[in-house]
Amino acid sequence: MSSHQPNQQNQQNQQNQQNQHQQHQPAHAHAHAHGHAHAHGHGHAPAADLDWDALAAYLEQEADLRAGAVTEAARWLAGLAGEGAVRRVLDVGSGPGVIAGMLADAFPAAEVVAVDQSPALLERARTRSGGRLRTQQADLPAEFGKLGEADLIWSGNAIHHLGDQQAALTALGERLRPGGLLAVAESGLPPRFLPRDFGLGRPGFQARLDAAHEDGFSAMRAELPDATEEVEDWPAMLRRAGLTPSGTRTFLVDHPAPLARPVREYLHAQLDRRRDQLAEVLTAEDRATLDALLDEDAPTGILNRPDAFYLSAMTVHTARRP
Ligand SMILES: C[S@@+](CC[C@H](N)C(=O)[O-])C[C@H]1O[C@@H](n2cnc3c(N)ncnc32)[C@H](O)[C@@H]1O
């Protein structure tokens, strides 16, 4: 279910694109950022290789793209939690804190704490927020105890980096005050950014790229410490964590063509990462298509083609501590 009004969404898109324009970096700045970052969020590189600090700008761009969806999700959470009741908010696995900043806007009376393993990303979060955000470095799952209590805990695309996702949900639930809310943004839909047939190679390229990426995601998870296979039924997992599910909603991320340059650069960086991660498993034809999309000068490249768009969806699962 998505709840954006198209006009509001377009205004939001334009605003986002303007914001991104002020922050954008050339595509080649991201071209060799290895590791794993994502819209849905997964890469082929083993977890041990992840260099989150190198992905800071990429993570910021990705979060900026989702600004409209996150703002709408935060409004929903404020309604569920009762805004006045929220005195302390944690964003667990916050990265550089873009989304934590949006939560701070949505809960102006609350202390909002960005939590991450990376001191460098937390420093970016502090700088970006002009001191509005507090930060807490924590290596999870070992340091869940550092988080303190909260009325609202948000975690977006971070729990899937922990080997035992069920144990992580249980630990987060234990940090909630009675009546507090846990909101987990996981799953959703992978992005689409071109028509099914975009005139290069065999139609259906993006679906094949996604399929290869899903296998890479499983391989990444299998490499994590304490890797535990889990049927990823998030409401059921939240229930097993001792919480009471209070609804799942999905928010559209919709940036229509023609795309602003910073969104194109984000897509270029993402495709470049896919080239690194998946080249060996793609067919020669799909590799050639990927290379054509990555060509910075060609009119068919993702930086230049008029038909590129960005469409995705963010799913948020919520549950309350009894
Ligand atoms: C894909 S990013 C998500 C960033 C942000 N939540 C967002 O949605 O834009 C995952 C974040 O989880 C953090 N992370 C990964 N493993 C972690 C761990 N074991 N303990 C704490 N943070 C971790 C990374 O540093 C990174 O910032």
Side-chain angles (χ1 to χ4, degrees), residues 21 64 114 149 180 185 208 226 264 290 293 296:
H21 196 63
D64 279 334
E149 290 188 324
R208 293 191 296 282
D226 300 324
R264 293 174 181 282
L290 192 47
L293 290 172
E296 298 190 12

Side-chain angles (χ1 to χ4, degrees), residues 14-222:
Q14 280 164 14
Q15 184 60 52
N16 293 346
Q17 288 168 7
Q18 279 166 15
N19 292 345
Q20 288 154 15
H21 196 63
Q22 286 155 13
Q23 302 162 6
H24 88 273
Q25 302 194 6
H28 57 75
H30 307 287
H32 298 292
H34 290 268
H36 149 100
H38 40 78
H40 173 41
H42 22 277
H44 195 249
D49 287 348
L50 298 188
D51 180 356
W52 290 110
D53 296 359
L55 292 171
Y58 183 90
L59 292 174
E60 286 171 355
Q61 284 182 319
E62 187 170 77
D64 279 334
L65 276 175
R66 288 187 282 149
V70 172
T71 301
E72 194 174 351
R75 238 181 267 132
W76 174 50
L77 296 178
L80 278 181
E83 195 183 323
V86 176
R87 288 166 293 140
R88 190 160 190 269
V89 178
L90 300 176
D91 179 353
V92 177
S94 64
V98 178
I99 288 172
M102 296 169 195
L103 294 172
D105 290 341
F107 296 92
E111 174 187 66
V112 179
V113 187
V115 178
D116 205 276
Q117 52 81 30
S118 161
L121 294 181
L122 293 176
E123 176 59 34
R124 269 176 107 109
R126 276 192 300 275
T127 305
R128 184 182 173 110
S129 75
R132 167 71 178 88
L133 290 178
R134 298 205 42 206
T135 59
Q136 175 65 60
Q137 192 279 333
D139 284 307
L140 304 176
E143 297 184 321
F144 270 116
K146 281 184 170 180
L147 272 52
E149 290 188 324
D151 306 292
L152 172 63
I153 300 178
W154 168 278
S155 185
N157 285 327
I159 290 173
H160 67 240
H161 292 292
L162 301 180
D164 189 340
Q165 300 180 110
Q166 180 65 62
L169 292 180
T170 302
L172 289 175
E174 287 167 356
R175 309 264 81 74
L176 286 172
R177 293 174 177 142
L181 203 62
L182 176 57
V184 176
E186 290 281 357
S187 59
L189 291 175
R192 283 284 182 272
F193 48 87
L194 285 168
R196 185 190 70 89
D197 184 345
F198 53 93
L200 291 174
R202 184 157 68 95
F205 168 79
Q206 289 172 98
R208 293 191 296 282
L209 204 60
D210 285 344
H213 189 48
E214 288 295 344
D215 286 339
F217 182 69
S218 299
M220 179 281 289
R221 280 206 47 75

